[in-house]
Amino acid sequence: MKVVIVGGVAGGATAAARLRRLDEQAEIIIFERTGFVSYANCGLPYFIGGVIEEESALTLQSPKGFWDRFCIEVKTNHEVTAIHPDAHTVEVHNLETGKQFVETYDKLILSPGAHPIRPELPGIDSKKLFSLRTVEDTLRIHGYVQEHKPTSAIVVGGGYIGIETAENLRELGLEVTLLQRPKQLMNNLDFDMATLIHAKMRDSGISLHLGANVTGFEEVGGRIVAHIENEASITADLALLAIGVMPESHLAKAAGLELGIKGSIVVNERMETSAPDVYAVGDAVQVKHQVTNENAVISLAGPANKQGRVVADVIAGMNSSYKGSLGSSVIKVFDLTVANTGLSEKAAVAAGFNYDCVVLSPGSHAGYYPGATPMTMKVVFEKESLRLLGAQIVGGDGVDKRIDVLATAIQAGIRADRLKDLDLAYAPPYSSAKDPVNMAGFMIENLNNGVVKQWHWNEEPELPRDGSVQLLDVRTVGEYQRGHIEGFRNIPVDELRSRLNELDTNKPLYVICQSGVRSYIACRILTQHGFNSFNFSGGYRFYSAVTEERLGSNNIMPCGMER
């Protein structure tokens, strides 16, 4: 059996190695149009910043290594230019010699990845405007920085690559301006959670321009200028365009394969395309989202590697299938860790769920053990079924392990309130006896059982200040004096029982504290004394971070609002 693989990065390289382990007799050939194979896309920004010092560390395997260990023939700088499914052949162009030839196959695996979006804008071909997708891209940027010693940079795009490259350039000492057309970074997050990233980026010296629509580029005096709609132009020594990627599916389209959303390649659970003996994996394919069961394109290394393993199993005659993606991801933003899985709140709205969410600010580990830092967690769930829909976490230590627990819980079908029952490891340096994931479960159980009711930051502007409701801040006097919401009176929680006579049982009470814990305690006191009380979800620290932005907030629905 002869297996030809188009693309030798995550999915293609994994499929090749797995297939060899399953079938010692198969002839396996990888065609990779770049000069590198099995390289770590996710590490590319960190080579630019010097965190990864050796170029060789970016490649997990070499063509020689593939042959020596796996007897797999890897042909780099070879671009497949056409696929002929009926004839079981591909046309190949040797980019080094110019030679063109035809290769036959019994099975064909497409792992072409995705290409950076480069809109037709004036100046888009400037030599000072870079993209970052391949090792060659990284080497070009790294070489430019080493040779020209730039002092400033513009990054267009606030997704993973844009943020990571902006951070690494900033760590090199450059003045960095990040331009983002949407009014938040990382569109896979909700606006309220993204504001925590905005604050960190600004505190780290990056100039953010949110809601900035770049209309073109221009080289002036040896520098590059980014022109922005209705704003002043920005000039720097180099620029990076990182506004997203699109599936690399032109070969599949030309060959008549069925395409799906965003031009992605349609595959089934076995990663089979619409053409016999042709499979596809990675960033170019359409998959099912595990929560919505809707079609999705999820460009992440984890799914690509899993799909590569599945397709190798299938070709080797095993019963294997890909179960879909949650889109679980994590990113470093200076000393913050930002992670998400499943659906955000806005994605739950778009999918038509009747949902609610909880926001909490637990410590990374036991507060009495030195070094604990706060994290902000947002957990989204379906109201009636308590089905866990998604989660987002921003913080320091321990964010990654909590998002992994929540991703596992979603995939396993664990109900949101049953998060409280998970038996998670505890020692003071690593967690608390009631882990943050357990705490989310406790909160959801309390909401479901009617032990507490809540309100959210989006609702604050609509709260009447005419005396028809009562607005209560239960932090200490000092905390209140350092900042509070207009119209909220201060009664510290420890004084509440003795001052209940100052409150009216006939009027609803909206209660807030710094993190949501003391206001919850206050609501339990108030409820048991006949008050109709509502606890603020997230606390004043979260509220102040979100409302300082006030960008696009009028278009963001309160958590739990139905459509």
Side-chain angles (χ1 to χ4, degrees):
M1 177 173 62
K2 182 177 180 180
V3 180
V4 169
I5 301 173
V6 180
V9 191
T14 295
R18 171 68 172 173
L19 185 57
R20 173 57 75 224
R21 290 192 291 269
L22 297 175
D23 187 344
E24 186 66 15
Q25 306 306 316
E27 179 184 359
I28 305 172
I29 303 173
I30 298 175
F31 292 114
E32 168 57 45
R33 67 182 172 188
T34 73
F36 299 86
V37 68
S38 190
Y39 56 85
N41 295 78
C42 301
L44 301 182
Y46 298 98
F47 181 71
I48 295 170
V51 178
I52 297 173
E53 296 180 352
E54 299 297 328
E55 178 186 325
S56 59
L58 294 173
T59 52
L60 308 178
Q61 191 56 274
S62 66
K64 183 178 185 302
F66 261 110
W67 180 257
D68 291 346
R69 179 162 297 180
F70 298 110
C71 287
I72 293 172
E73 187 176 6
V74 176
K75 296 186 176 183
T76 56
N77 294 307
H78 280 66
E79 181 177 10
V80 173
T81 57
I83 303 168
H84 303 292
D86 293 339
H88 278 54
T89 62
V90 295
E91 296 180 24
V92 186
H93 181 202
N94 184 329
L95 299 177
E96 292 180 332
T97 67
K99 177 184 176 182
Q100 300 189 45
F101 60 94
V102 173
E103 191 76 53
T104 62
Y105 67 83
D106 296 308
K107 303 288 184 181
L108 177 66
I109 302 173
L110 303 179
S111 181
H115 63 270
I117 297 171
R118 290 181 71 86
E120 293 295 328
L121 295 175
I124 196 70
D125 295 324
S126 167
K127 298 298 183 183
K128 296 182 181 296
L129 178 61
F130 298 88
S131 294
L132 182 55
R133 186 66 179 174
T134 67
V135 174
E136 285 92 342
D137 294 336
T138 305
L139 297 180
R140 278 192 291 271
I141 300 171
H142 182 266
Y144 186 91
V145 170
Q146 295 301 308
E147 179 182 353
H148 297 281
K149 310 296 183 186
T151 61
S152 59
I154 297 166
V155 175
V156 183
Y160 297 101
I161 292 295
I163 290 173
E164 289 171 342
T165 307
E167 174 185 342
N168 278 275
L169 291 172
R170 180 62 188 149
E171 295 285 23
L172 288 176
L174 278 70
E175 294 295 324
V176 179
T177 300
L178 194 154
L179 309 175
Q180 169 81 329
R181 183 164 62 180
K183 292 185 176 181
Q184 69 166 81
L185 301 178
M186 292 190 68
N187 284 323
N188 54 315
L189 301 183
D190 288 320
F191 169 80
D192 48 15
M193 298 297 287
T195 61
L196 305 174
I197 307 173
H198 301 168
K200 173 56 64 177
M201 297 283 277
R202 291 185 177 116
D203 289 346
S204 302
I206 290 179
S207 176
L208 287 186
H209 288 243
L210 304 175
N213 182 30
V214 175
T215 58
F217 301 91
E218 182 182 9
E219 287 191 30
V220 178
R223 308 182 78 201
I224 187 166
V225 180
H227 297 297
I228 308 170
E229 185 178 17
N230 299 323
E231 288 189 38
S233 299
I234 295 175
T235 302
D237 297 322
L238 68 91
L240 175 82
L241 191 64
I243 59 174
V245 296
M246 289 292 288
E248 189 71 84
S249 58
H250 68 281
L251 286 175
K253 181 179 181 180
L257 274 61
E258 182 183 355
L259 302 184
I261 58 175
K262 298 181 180 180
S264 57
I265 304 170
V266 172
V267 293
N268 60 19
E269 282 190 347
R270 292 162 56 85
M271 310 312 297
E272 296 168 325
T273 72
S274 59
D277 299 320
V278 180
Y279 305 80
V281 299
D283 294 355
V285 305
Q286 174 179 286
V287 298
K288 292 292 184 183
H289 195 286
Q290 288 187 9
V291 176
T292 65
N293 201 38
E294 297 292 329
N295 294 326
V297 175
I298 297 177
S299 300
L300 294 168
N305 277 277
K306 296 178 184 70
Q307 292 159 13
R309 179 183 175 91
V310 167
V311 78
D313 289 353
V314 170
I315 290 174
M318 299 174 66
N319 185 20
S320 186
S321 61
Y322 185 68
K323 306 302 182 185
S325 299
L326 280 176
S328 303
S329 68
V330 64
I331 182 176
K332 173 185 175 295
V333 184
F334 294 95
D335 61 355
L336 279 185
T337 302
V338 181
N340 74 290
T341 187
L343 301 185
S344 63
E345 181 182 351
K346 60 187 175 186
V349 172
F353 283 100
N354 181 21
Y355 72 96
D356 204 349
C357 58
V358 293
V359 178
L360 58 157
S361 299
S364 56
H365 58 251
Y368 59 83
Y369 188 89
T373 56
M375 65 178 72
T376 301
M377 297 176 58
K378 183 175 185 178
V379 180
V380 185
F381 59 95
E382 190 173 28
K383 283 184 178 180
E384 296 84 358
S385 67
L386 295 189
R387 180 188 177 193
L388 196 56
L389 300 178
Q392 301 156 71
I393 314 178
V394 179
D397 292 341
V399 166
D400 53 342
K401 76 172 182 177
R402 272 63 184 231
I403 207 69
D404 285 344
V405 170
L406 288 162
T408 303
I410 294 172
Q411 190 157 351
I414 295 173
R415 224 170 62 170
D417 60 333
R418 298 303 299 273
L419 295 174
K420 68 185 176 64
D421 300 321
L422 295 180
D423 192 358
L424 304 174
Y426 160 63
Y430 304 107
S431 184
S432 300
K434 292 183 284 190
D435 188 85
V437 174
N438 296 138
M439 292 301 299
F442 294 142
M443 293 172 66
I444 293 167
E445 181 187 53
N446 283 340
L447 285 171
N448 188 56
N449 293 341
V451 171
V452 69
K453 294 180 286 189
Q454 64 179 355
W455 64 286
H456 301 276
W457 67 268
N458 318 65
E459 300 170 75
E460 182 271 325
E462 305 304 320
L463 292 178
R465 265 65 171 186
D466 59 1
S468 58
V469 302
Q470 300 169 98
L471 310 176
L472 183 63
D473 188 323
V474 297
R475 295 176 296 158
T476 65
V477 172
E479 288 174 305
Y480 179 83
Q481 290 177 342
R482 286 191 291 272
H484 59 270
I485 305 175
E486 181 183 354
F488 278 69
R489 63 178 297 189
N490 180 221
I491 300 179
V493 66
D494 293 339
E495 301 176 16
L496 186 58
R497 288 184 181 88
S498 63
R499 297 176 62 180
L500 289 175
N501 62 326
E502 300 177 25
L503 303 171
D504 188 343
T505 56
N506 295 314
K507 297 178 180 179
L509 263 164
Y510 290 82
V511 188
I512 193 170
C513 72
Q514 190 70 10
S515 69
V517 175
R518 284 173 289 175
S519 53
Y520 164 65
I521 294 170
C523 283
R524 291 305 304 140
I525 295 170
L526 292 164
T527 298
Q528 293 177 80
H529 283 84
F531 291 90
N532 182 22
S533 61
F534 298 83
N535 183 33
F536 182 76
S537 178
Y540 183 79
R541 185 178 73 88
F542 180 66
Y543 169 87
S544 59
V546 176
T547 55
E548 280 176 10
E549 288 285 338
R550 296 195 183 279
L551 293 175
S553 58
N554 292 333
N555 298 321
I556 298 174
M557 292 172 53
C559 200
M561 184 172 288
E562 300 176 27
R563 274 281 190 259

